[in-house]
Amino acid sequence: MSARIYQRPKNAMQSGKARTSDWLLEFEPAEAKRPDPLMGWAGSGDTQQQVVLAFESETDAKAYADRYGIEARVIPTPPRKLKLQSYADNFR
């Protein structure tokens, strides 16, 4: 059972940064998804894919994974790139 630990990215549809400080532990898929013969929806028998745990810090998430014997890899948070421009730049 392996998992990945990462920080929630900022929502591109909104300007707020709510819940972006949370660290998530998400299990990696154990089996591939396959289409349902009747409806055509994608699904699998792996119920671990539905579990997403939120933690306040990266160390809390790592400690949880170590306590329960979960092989977890940490995905570092990419640096935020700000594009600073003024309103007048729209008319150049």
Side-chain angles (χ1 to χ4, degrees):
M1 175 169 41
S2 61
R4 54 184 166 248
I5 297 173
Y6 62 95
Q7 198 167 16
R8 186 188 313 258
K10 181 184 164 301
N11 186 353
M13 296 292 138
Q14 298 177 349
S15 62
K17 295 179 182 173
R19 297 173 40 180
T20 57
S21 61
D22 292 344
W23 285 84
L24 303 177
L25 185 139
E26 184 177 69
F27 292 97
E28 294 181 354
E31 63 181 55
K33 292 189 178 185
R34 57 190 180 280
D36 181 58
L38 179 63
M39 298 297 290
W41 296 341
S44 71
D46 183 23
T47 58
Q48 290 289 347
Q49 289 180 349
Q50 301 170 9
V51 178
V52 178
L53 302 172
F55 297 94
E56 291 184 10
S57 68
E58 178 184 358
T59 55
D60 291 343
K62 283 183 189 176
Y64 180 86
D66 291 340
R67 187 177 330 126
Y68 290 102
I70 300 168
E71 297 175 22
R73 63 183 172 96
V74 178
I75 300 172
T77 306
R80 288 194 178 125
K81 299 175 204 145
L82 296 176
K83 182 179 176 185
L84 299 175
Q85 66 182 37
S86 66
Y87 179 71
D89 291 340
N90 293 330
F91 302 102
R92 287 189 183 174

